[in-house]
């Protein structure tokens, strides 16, 4: 794989064999971020579970204390009488069958999170094959299927993120921007890690968190000692 000059310079700052304490890891990530834009900082957690088994799924949502640095665009499926409530709470789009039609016919995906009231799931369910692969399907586990749509929208806008395993048993999540500084990034990291630890399935055996790596958008990965409290 071709690596640019900036990446190679940044990689020299990181000892790939070292497990860094969380605050030191984020200090390194910030130092290694050389792009001309405010890079997103991501966390990658490899878990000792098998996502092919229903009793070893790890999925949920958590509100990061400092948000992600990005205000997500929210689409809400609700009855007509609740559309204005959703828009007043901060939803970017709200509606019912007309939004389903727009998604199906126009490939409308100009949003980051989808929420729905429970009474709309019968029509939203038809979008499973379209929204599911994009990670946009609303679910009670993530708090995006709820009668309390106002609270759901406010939490999403405030920095609520969903975490879930991919097919290789890794969770990938944004936890902020380089401009946050190491203290805020560390606090966001610890909040996410605590949530993932609480979500540990009873069926999980052996070491639960196999590896924990953070990196900025264009920077090298930095390994974190996930057993060390921030």
């Amino acid at each position: 794989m071709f690596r640019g000059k900036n990446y190679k310079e940044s990689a020299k700052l990181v000892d790939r064999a070292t497990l860094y304490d969380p605050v030191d890891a984020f200090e390194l990530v910030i130092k290694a971020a050389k792009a001309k834009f405010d890079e997103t900082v991501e966390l990658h957690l490899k878990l000792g579970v098998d996502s092919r088994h229903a009793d070893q799924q790890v999925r949920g949502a958590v509100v990061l204390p400092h948000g992600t640095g990005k205000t997500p665009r929210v689409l809400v499926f609700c009855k007509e009488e609740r559309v204005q409530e959703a828009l007043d709470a901060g939803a970017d789009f709200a509606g019912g069958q007309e939004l389903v039609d727009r998604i199906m016919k126009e490939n409308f995906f100009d949003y980051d999170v989808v929420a729905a009231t429970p009474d709309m799931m019968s029509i939203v369910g038809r979008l499973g094959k379209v929204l599911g692969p994009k990670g946009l399907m609303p679910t009670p586990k993530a708090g995006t299927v709820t009668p309390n749509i106002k609270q759901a929208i406010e939490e999403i806008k405030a920095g609520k993120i969903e975490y879930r395993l991919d097919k290789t048993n890794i969770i990938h999540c944004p936890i902020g921007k380089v401009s946050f500084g190491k203290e805020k990034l560390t606090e966001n990291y610890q909040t996410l890690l605590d949530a993932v630890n609480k979500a540990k399935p009873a069926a999980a055996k052996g070491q639960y968190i196999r590896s924990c790596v953070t990196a900025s958008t264009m920077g090298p990965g930095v390994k974190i000692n996930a057993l060390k409290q921030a």
Side-chain angles (χ1 to χ4, degrees), residues 131-162:
L131 297 180
K134 294 179 181 293
L136 291 170
M137 192 67 186
T139 166
K141 278 190 176 181
T144 46
V145 176
T146 173
N148 193 344
I149 209 68
K150 180 176 184 289
Q151 181 183 346
I153 295 165
E154 288 172 349
E155 287 182 347
I156 292 165
K157 292 285 186 176
K160 186 176 190 176
I161 60 165
E162 184 181 357

Side-chain angles (χ1 to χ4, degrees), residues 216-228:
S216 64
T217 306
M218 308 292 287
V222 180
K223 295 177 183 176
I224 298 178
N225 180 359
L227 299 176
K228 190 79 175 269

Side-chain angles (χ1 to χ4, degrees), residues 75-79 95-101 103-104 111 114-132 136-140 144-145 149:
L75 180 146
V76 175
F77 288 106
C78 59
K79 299 284 190 186
Q97 185 62 49
E98 72 279 11
L99 286 179
V100 174
D101 294 342
I103 290 167
M104 296 294 283
Y111 42 87
V114 178
T117 52
D119 56 6
M120 295 298 288
M121 288 310 291
S122 57
I123 68 164
V124 177
R126 300 172 203 161
L127 296 171
K129 289 183 179 178
V130 182
L131 297 180
L136 291 170
M137 192 67 186
T139 166
T144 46
V145 176
I149 209 68

Side-chain angles (χ1 to χ4, degrees), residues 20-220:
Y20 292 92
D21 287 351
V23 72
D24 296 333
F26 292 114
E27 188 172 12
L28 262 179
V29 166
I30 292 166
K31 277 184 186 174
K34 306 286 189 186
K36 292 178 181 177
F37 61 92
D38 192 8
E39 297 178 51
T40 296
V41 178
E42 294 192 342
L43 195 70
H44 309 278
L45 291 165
K46 184 166 181 63
L47 303 186
V49 295
D50 187 342
S51 61
R52 292 173 299 178
H53 299 291
D55 62 353
Q56 293 188 46
Q57 287 292 328
V58 179
R59 183 176 186 177
V62 63
V63 178
L64 299 179
H66 303 290
T68 62
K70 176 186 177 184
T71 302
R73 296 161 299 174
V74 181
L75 180 146
V76 175
F77 288 106
C78 59
K79 299 284 190 186
E80 188 176 347
E81 61 268 21
R82 299 196 68 182
V83 166
Q84 195 57 50
E85 177 193 351
L87 294 172
D88 289 345
D92 299 271
F93 309 96
Q97 185 62 49
E98 72 279 11
L99 286 179
V100 174
D101 294 342
R102 192 174 170 191
I103 290 167
M104 296 294 283
K105 295 173 184 176
E106 300 175 25
N107 283 327
F108 171 55
F109 296 110
D110 194 22
Y111 42 87
D112 306 294
V113 183
V114 178
T117 52
D119 56 6
M120 295 298 288
M121 288 310 291
S122 57
I123 68 164
V124 177
R126 300 172 203 161
L127 296 171
K129 289 183 179 178
V130 182
L131 297 180
K134 294 179 181 293
L136 291 170
M137 192 67 186
T139 166
K141 278 190 176 181
T144 46
V145 176
T146 173
N148 193 344
I149 209 68
K150 180 176 184 289
Q151 181 183 346
I153 295 165
E154 288 172 349
E155 287 182 347
I156 292 165
K157 292 285 186 176
K160 186 176 190 176
I161 60 165
E162 184 181 357
Y163 57 86
R164 60 191 296 186
L165 290 172
D166 68 8
K167 290 179 181 177
T168 60
N169 305 312
I170 299 175
I171 289 172
H172 309 273
C173 278
I175 56 167
K177 298 283 188 179
V178 165
S179 61
F180 279 23
K182 62 183 180 182
E183 284 82 9
K184 287 183 179 180
L185 287 172
T186 302
E187 287 174 24
N188 276 358
Y189 152 82
Q190 194 62 57
T191 299
L192 174 60
L193 192 71
D194 290 345
V196 172
N197 275 322
K198 282 179 186 171
K200 180 180 179 180
K205 301 289 185 257
Q207 187 177 350
Y208 180 50
I209 295 180
R210 296 283 175 86
S211 70
C212 177
V213 178
T214 184
S216 64
T217 306
M218 308 292 287

